[in-house]
């Protein structure tokens, strides 16, 4: 079944409130870099039963404070992570991590993985030694009744390389005991939306092969392009609040003293399939009310924010909760459709969004760079190509 | 086969060594030469033997007919390989594999008590009353027989694949499948069994790993060790089924050189059996999937293979 998970991030209570109170999404992906151990353990058993825990071993020597609250985190279990020494602690770390996931009653077990920035030539060997082999060996000696997933952190270069992709596929499909994969990909880009149609197509094609190999899939760390992945059939998609939950970056696992200036607040407009700077959105609402009705799906959160005398900042929850509601509705409407119908629906939505953009722009209005329609044609190209090669 | 192991031949001297070491053993036959070892058939009567710690009784008469396999044990690699087979047979007690009764290494001549120039690894196994599939292939040329055979073989091999050491047989071919009189199958010759994805016991002088090239998977012939796992056996099952239905190996024609075979296995897409009129589309699709060049395109979940085979059996 198609489902939607919250990629929990900073201010995790926004996701939890949205899930528990607004009934947005089908579950939560809990995040130790944002949630200390006690916070995770204190969630209700009902919520934990519809959540899974991403152990986030991506940067094993991370000294982020919240990660340090987990006894199994590599930096903690080995008293200061060093690649050469970790092998002595890998099984202990795996055992503690599995025990934690089982005792909390999450809906699946996640085997963590390390993140590699580039086309790491020993990716497979390292993932096996670091986590996969220890975890599978321990899980093999246990009787568990929840599915086992392996984390697959990738980069766009890995996905665009046919040889690398094939190696990954041959490797992963040699593990019949793994039920599913928690996949995500880092794409180095200067835009907030994915605009590389080749990357999107190859990612879809790669995920398709994984589906064909009978893996259940969670496609993590996605922005609104997540909607395109519904063409894969029964997969789990994700939605997040801050950008670092909508596109993967190792930066959030680094301890940094840099004061980063917060971005401007944005609002998600489903009729444009994009996040628009709040000020620009408000201008469209005021100056082009007919067009506004075509692009905006009202929620109480957004209505209140738009009516407020002071514009919001990026670190206030309402616009994210508005996004969760809007995006959940969009995914919900795709659930009953066949893949062919989803393709037609998404294609129509993209074309409609392009039409909406053009209509707005014809009224002497220009979107700033990240709010523009530049992502839409690549999205259309990617799904059309995917349709021709895999659906039709 | 592995280019390093020295082949043992049936000689009078070897028979004398065995008769002297096992006074109760009566040789009744010798298997046709295959691989690197000699296989004798025969029966034991109970016997006694002087050992270092005194006289010991051996009540081996109860075993009935046995197969004694004699291999070269002169190199660490060959010993390790045989030991691997023994470990596997000892840990997978199943009707699909012969029972292993005994094994040892002979280093001294039992009569002259001089060191043997070639150390001998001897295993004593149950002799399975049967016909090798290679001797009755025509009985498996119809769809229902193939479905039953594939199901049985998959059940047999799954025991290896599910083993904690993730064994791979690596040499599935008609000669290594025995058909009992009641139709049950027994898989033999775990001589090149290995753990999935392992680096292997020894480097091989050949460009491809140990296998029978006409039934081996592309990854075996490319010596792509990391990708040699249960899916390599699935490929061989596909080739076996194709051969039985078509009456001809899909990757071999008279006059083909080894190089031709390797090229065929790694790049030739045999025509689907259904297009040749040998079976239904359903079975043809299963066999094509088993014979996919890329391992990732073969079955990952064996339950799905069972389900597909079962679905066809019911139609």
């Amino acid at each position: 079944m198609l489902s939607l998970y919250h990629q929990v991030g900073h201010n995790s209570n926004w996701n939890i409130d949205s899930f528990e109170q607004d009934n947005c999404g089908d579950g939560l992906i809990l995040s130790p870099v944002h949630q200390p151990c006690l916070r995770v353990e204190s969630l209700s058993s009902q919520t934990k039963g519809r959540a899974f825990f991403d152990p986030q071993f991506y940067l094993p020597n991370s000294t982020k404070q919240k990660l340090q609250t987990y006894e199994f985190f590599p930096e903690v279990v080995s008293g200061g992570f060093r690649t050469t020494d970790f092998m002595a602690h890998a099984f202990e770390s795996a055992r503690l991590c599995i025990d934690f996931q089982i005792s909390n009653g999450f809906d699946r077990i996640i085997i963590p993985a390390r993140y590699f920035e580039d086309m790491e030539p020993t990716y497979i060997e390292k993932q096996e030694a670091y986590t996969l082999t220890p975890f599978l060996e321990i899980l093999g000696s246990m009787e568990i009744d929840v599915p086992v997933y392996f984390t697959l952190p990738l980069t766009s270069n890995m996905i665009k390389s046919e040889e690398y992709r094939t190696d990954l596929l041959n490797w992963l499909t040699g593990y019949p005991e793994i039920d599913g994969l928690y996949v995500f990909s880092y794409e180095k880009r200067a835009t907030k939306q994915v605009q590389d149609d080749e990357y999107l197509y190859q990612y879809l094609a790669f995920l398709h092969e994984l589906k064909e190999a009978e893996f259940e899939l969670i496609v993590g760390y996605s922005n609104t392009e997540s909607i395109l992945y519904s063409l894969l059939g029964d997969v789990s998609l994700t939605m997040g609040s801050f950008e670092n939950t909508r596109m993967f970056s190792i930066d959030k696992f680094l301890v940094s003293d840099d004061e980063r200036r917060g971005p401007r607040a944005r609002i998600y407009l489903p009729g444009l399939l994009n996040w628009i700077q709040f000020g620009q959105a408000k201008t469209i609402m005021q100056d082009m009310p007919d067009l506004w009705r075509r692009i905006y799906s009202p929620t109480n959160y957004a209505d209140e924010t738009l009516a407020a005398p002071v514009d919001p900042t990026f670190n206030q929850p309402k616009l994210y909760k508005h996004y969760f509601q809007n995006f959940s509705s969009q995914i919900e409407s795709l659930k009953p459709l066949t893949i062919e119908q989803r393709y037609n629906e998404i294609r129509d939505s993209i074309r409609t969004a392009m039409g909406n953009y053009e209509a707005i722009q014809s009224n002497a209005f220009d979107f700033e760079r990240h709010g523009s329609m530049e992502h839409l044609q690549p999205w259309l190209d990617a799904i059309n190509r995917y349709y021709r090669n895999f659906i039709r | 086969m592995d280019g390093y192991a020295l082949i043992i031949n049936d000689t009078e001297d070897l028979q004398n060594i065995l008769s002297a070491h096992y006074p109760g053993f009566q040789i009744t036959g010798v298997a046709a030469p295959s691989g690197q070892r000699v296989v004798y058939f025969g029966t034991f009567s109970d016997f006694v033997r002087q050992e270092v710690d005194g006289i010991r009784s051996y009540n081996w008469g109860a075993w009935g007919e046995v197969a004694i396999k004699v291999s070269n044990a002169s190199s660490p690699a060959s010993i390790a390989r045989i030991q691997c087979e023994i470990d596997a047979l000892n840990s997978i007690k199943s009707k699909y594999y012969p029972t292993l009764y005994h094994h040892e290494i002979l280093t001294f001549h039992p009569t002259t008590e001089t060191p043997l120039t070639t150390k001998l690894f001897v295993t004593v196994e149950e002799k399975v009353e049967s016909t090798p599939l290679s001797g009755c292939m025509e009985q498996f040329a119809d769809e229902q027989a193939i479905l039953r055979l594939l199901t049985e073989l998959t059940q047999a091999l799954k025991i290896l694949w599910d083993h904690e050491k993730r064994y791979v047989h690596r040499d599935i071919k008609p000669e290594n499948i025995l058909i009992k009189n009641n139709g049950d199958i027994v898989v033999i010759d775990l001589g090149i069994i290995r753990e999935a994805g392992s680096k292997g016991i020894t480097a091989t002088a050949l460009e491809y790993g140990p296998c029978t090239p006409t039934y081996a998977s592309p990854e075996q012939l490319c010596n792509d060790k990391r990708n040699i796992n249960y899916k390599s056996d699935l490929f061989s099952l596909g080739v076996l089924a194709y051969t039985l239905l078509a009456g001809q190996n899909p990757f071999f024609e008279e006059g083909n050189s080894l190089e031709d075979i390797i090229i065929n296995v790694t790049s030739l897409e045999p025509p689907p059996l259904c297009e040749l009129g040998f079976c239904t589309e359903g079975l043809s699709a299963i066999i094509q999937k088993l014979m996919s060049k890329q391992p990732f395109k073969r079955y990952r979940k064996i339950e799905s293979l069972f389900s597909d085979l079962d679905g066809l059996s019911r139609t």
Side-chain angles (χ1 to χ4, degrees):
Chain A
M1 176 180 160
L2 182 64
S3 59
L4 182 64
Y5 275 73
H6 284 268
Q7 190 90 52
V8 172
H10 188 65
N11 290 322
S12 57
N13 54 323
W14 298 351
N15 301 100
I16 294 164
D17 290 350
S18 170
F19 175 64
E20 291 181 343
Q21 291 161 24
D22 296 342
N23 292 316
C24 288
D26 299 290
L28 302 165
I29 304 175
L30 304 174
S31 169
V33 76
H34 299 113
Q35 299 170 283
C37 188
L38 285 175
R39 177 80 61 87
V40 167
E41 288 181 321
S42 67
L43 290 170
S44 74
S45 54
Q46 200 179 2
T47 294
K48 286 196 277 193
R50 292 178 65 189
F52 65 89
F53 177 83
D54 171 6
Q56 295 176 336
F57 283 17
Y58 307 122
L59 188 67
N61 58 353
S62 174
T63 51
K64 282 281 209 176
Q65 213 173 358
K66 288 173 185 168
L67 288 174
Q68 302 298 307
T69 64
Y70 294 88
E71 59 177 346
F72 49 79
F73 189 70
E75 175 72 9
V76 179
V77 78
S78 43
F81 177 86
R82 281 171 52 191
T83 308
T84 46
D85 299 340
F86 184 65
M87 290 309 108
H89 303 281
F91 280 83
E92 175 68 353
S93 170
R95 190 184 59 76
L96 292 169
C97 185
I98 291 167
D99 286 349
F100 178 80
Q101 295 188 58
I102 290 175
S103 64
N104 277 285
F106 299 127
D107 72 355
R108 68 202 77 190
I109 303 276
I110 301 288
I111 301 175
R114 193 165 173 174
Y115 174 75
F116 293 101
E117 192 90 45
D118 298 311
M119 303 275 280
E120 170 59 46
T122 56
Y123 182 96
I124 291 171
E125 291 78 3
K126 284 181 174 160
Q127 300 293 17
E128 283 180 341
Y130 178 60
T131 53
L132 188 59
T133 302
F135 272 75
L136 285 181
E137 220 165 279
I138 291 167
L139 287 165
S141 65
M142 304 170 81
E143 283 199 10
I144 50 167
D145 55 3
V146 289
V148 172
Y149 277 57
F150 177 59
T151 312
L152 191 63
L154 302 173
T155 66
S156 56
N157 287 335
M158 293 174 185
I159 285 164
K160 282 157 78 170
S161 158
E162 188 180 353
E163 191 185 345
Y164 208 97
R165 257 188 351 252
T166 303
D167 282 350
L168 289 173
L169 287 166
N170 282 333
W171 166 55
L172 292 164
T173 56
Y175 289 99
E177 62 271 59
I178 298 175
D179 299 292
L181 295 167
Y182 170 43
V183 193
F184 55 84
S185 166
Y186 165 73
E187 188 207 19
K188 188 175 183 179
R189 60 176 190 255
T191 55
K192 293 184 190 294
Q193 293 285 8
V194 182
Q195 295 186 2
D196 181 344
D197 61 312
E198 174 68 14
Y199 162 60
L200 269 178
Y201 168 73
Q202 296 296 359
Y203 195 20
L204 277 166
F206 177 71
L207 295 172
H208 175 87
E209 294 292 2
L210 292 173
K211 282 282 293 174
E212 287 288 295
E214 300 185 74
F215 281 111
E216 297 166 20
L217 290 183
I218 304 155
V219 190
Y221 288 96
S222 304
N223 200 346
T224 44
E225 80 278 5
S226 198
I227 207 163
L228 310 182
Y229 306 139
S230 70
L231 296 180
L232 295 161
D234 292 339
V235 291
S236 296
L237 309 174
T238 56
M239 58 180 178
S241 53
F242 286 0
E243 279 169 5
N244 64 8
T245 58
R246 285 183 272 124
M247 56 178 97
F248 184 81
S249 167
I250 199 69
D251 293 354
K252 73 175 171 183
F253 299 96
L254 293 165
V255 175
S256 167
D257 294 330
D258 290 352
E259 286 280 333
R260 284 190 61 205
R261 198 170 61 83
R264 292 188 190 175
R266 290 175 181 271
I267 179 170
Y268 179 65
L269 297 176
L272 296 179
L273 292 171
N274 205 359
W275 294 77
I276 306 299
Q277 260 185 18
F278 188 79
Q280 285 210 307
K282 215 166 166 180
T283 304
I284 299 168
M285 178 183 75
Q286 287 161 352
D287 295 357
M288 297 168 246
D290 289 344
L291 288 172
W292 176 251
R293 276 190 288 278
R294 281 156 55 176
I295 61 173
Y296 171 66
S297 292
T299 65
N300 289 339
Y301 295 117
D303 282 349
E304 285 170 16
T305 310
L306 287 161
V310 180
D311 284 355
T313 57
F314 84 101
N315 56 0
Q316 292 173 317
K318 285 185 177 173
L319 292 181
Y320 300 112
K321 290 186 174 179
H322 158 79
Y323 167 60
F324 296 150
Q325 287 192 333
N326 270 193
F327 201 66
S328 298
S329 299
Q330 284 181 295
I331 298 301
E332 205 62 39
S333 70
L334 293 171
K335 283 185 180 177
L337 305 184
T338 64
I339 291 178
E340 176 106 21
Q341 288 168 334
R342 284 182 198 171
Y343 163 73
N344 289 325
E345 180 67 27
I346 294 168
R347 190 179 183 212
D348 282 348
S349 300
I350 297 173
R351 287 166 149 185
T352 303
M354 291 166 98
N356 290 336
Y357 264 109
E358 280 160 5
I360 293 167
Q361 286 168 168
S362 68
N363 273 308
F365 185 95
D366 290 307
F367 288 90
E368 55 76 42
R369 182 182 179 204
H370 299 295
S372 76
M373 63 187 286
E374 281 178 35
H375 59 299
L376 293 178
Q377 189 60 50
W379 285 18
L380 206 48
D381 293 343
I383 65 163
N384 284 339
R385 191 172 166 200
Y386 181 73
Y387 175 79
R388 286 194 301 274
N389 292 324
F390 293 99
I391 301 177
R392 188 166 57 180
Chain B
M1 285 298 195
D2 192 328
Y4 280 155
L6 296 172
I7 295 171
I8 295 282
N9 292 310
D10 169 36
T11 61
E12 198 179 332
D13 189 38
L14 181 59
Q15 293 200 15
N16 287 338
I17 290 172
L18 291 178
S19 297
H21 188 65
Y22 303 116
F25 186 58
Q26 182 72 41
I27 296 173
T28 57
V30 186
S34 169
Q36 304 145 3
R37 54 192 173 189
V38 178
V39 180
Y40 294 105
F41 301 117
T43 52
F44 280 99
S45 49
D46 296 345
F47 63 96
V48 292
R49 193 166 63 195
Q50 177 70 48
E51 306 286 6
V52 179
D53 52 354
I55 291 178
R56 267 187 71 186
S57 297
Y58 292 88
N59 302 318
W60 289 5
W63 289 345
E65 277 210 86
V66 297
I68 289 194
K69 297 179 177 176
V70 187
S71 313
N72 187 322
S74 293
S75 75
S78 57
I79 294 172
R81 183 158 289 144
I82 301 162
Q83 191 61 52
C84 189
E85 178 179 10
I86 287 166
D87 290 347
L89 281 175
N90 274 333
S91 62
I92 50 162
K93 304 287 181 202
S94 157
K95 65 172 186 170
Y96 292 118
Y97 297 91
T99 305
L100 176 67
Y101 294 127
H102 174 76
H103 65 275
E104 64 181 310
I105 296 177
L106 303 187
T107 55
F108 285 87
H109 195 290
T111 311
T112 63
E113 296 186 356
T114 52
L116 291 170
T117 46
T118 301
K119 291 175 194 162
L120 302 173
F121 206 122
V122 180
T123 58
V124 184
E125 288 177 11
E126 159 197 20
K127 183 184 181 231
V128 180
E129 282 304 330
S130 59
T131 308
L133 177 58
S134 52
C136 56
M137 289 173 71
E138 67 289 345
Q139 293 172 26
F140 293 87
D142 74 86
E143 183 148 342
Q144 284 304 317
I146 290 288
L147 288 169
R148 280 195 301 275
L149 181 68
L150 280 178
T151 304
E152 285 269 298
L153 280 172
T154 307
Q155 280 167 348
L157 291 168
K158 193 168 183 299
I159 295 167
L160 297 180
W161 303 333
D162 288 349
H163 190 278
E164 61 178 23
K165 291 194 169 173
R166 305 163 78 96
Y167 286 129
V168 193
H169 187 287
R170 290 203 295 176
D171 203 15
I172 290 298
K173 59 182 178 182
E175 289 78 6
N176 286 342
I177 298 157
L178 303 180
I179 311 296
K180 290 174 148 180
N181 294 337
N182 64 2
D184 287 352
I185 61 140
V186 173
V187 176
I188 60 166
D189 201 353
L190 277 65
I192 58 171
I193 192 172
R194 77 183 230 150
E195 294 173 35
S198 67
K199 289 193 167 63
I201 287 161
T202 177
T204 169
L206 304 174
E207 286 181 12
Y208 56 90
C211 61
T212 301
T214 44
Y215 286 88
S217 62
E219 60 271 19
Q220 285 174 273
L221 293 183
C222 295
N223 211 12
D224 178 6
K225 291 179 180 174
R226 191 172 66 202
N227 285 319
I228 296 173
N229 56 34
Y230 66 102
K231 293 186 171 185
S232 308
D233 287 343
L234 288 180
F235 186 92
S236 303
L237 285 179
V239 180
L240 178 73
Y242 196 106
T243 304
L244 289 167
L245 284 166
Q248 188 182 335
N249 187 291
F251 304 117
F252 178 75
E253 283 180 4
E254 205 57 45
N256 274 173
S257 65
L258 178 59
E259 192 180 16
D260 293 332
I261 297 168
I262 293 173
I263 291 170
N264 288 344
V265 171
T266 53
S267 57
L268 175 77
E269 293 289 353
L273 286 163
C274 58
E275 288 178 13
L276 301 173
F278 289 121
C279 68
T280 58
E281 277 184 26
L283 181 55
S284 181
I286 292 173
I287 294 170
Q288 287 298 117
K289 184 163 179 165
L290 290 169
M291 287 201 304
S292 297
K293 302 291 184 208
Q294 287 291 354
F296 77 81
K297 289 192 179 283
R298 297 174 212 149
Y299 288 90
R300 184 175 76 92
K301 296 206 164 185
I302 299 307
E303 293 71 24
S304 299
L305 174 57
F306 281 132
S307 166
D308 285 356
L309 293 170
D310 188 49
L312 276 183
S313 303
R314 291 167 192 273
T315 55

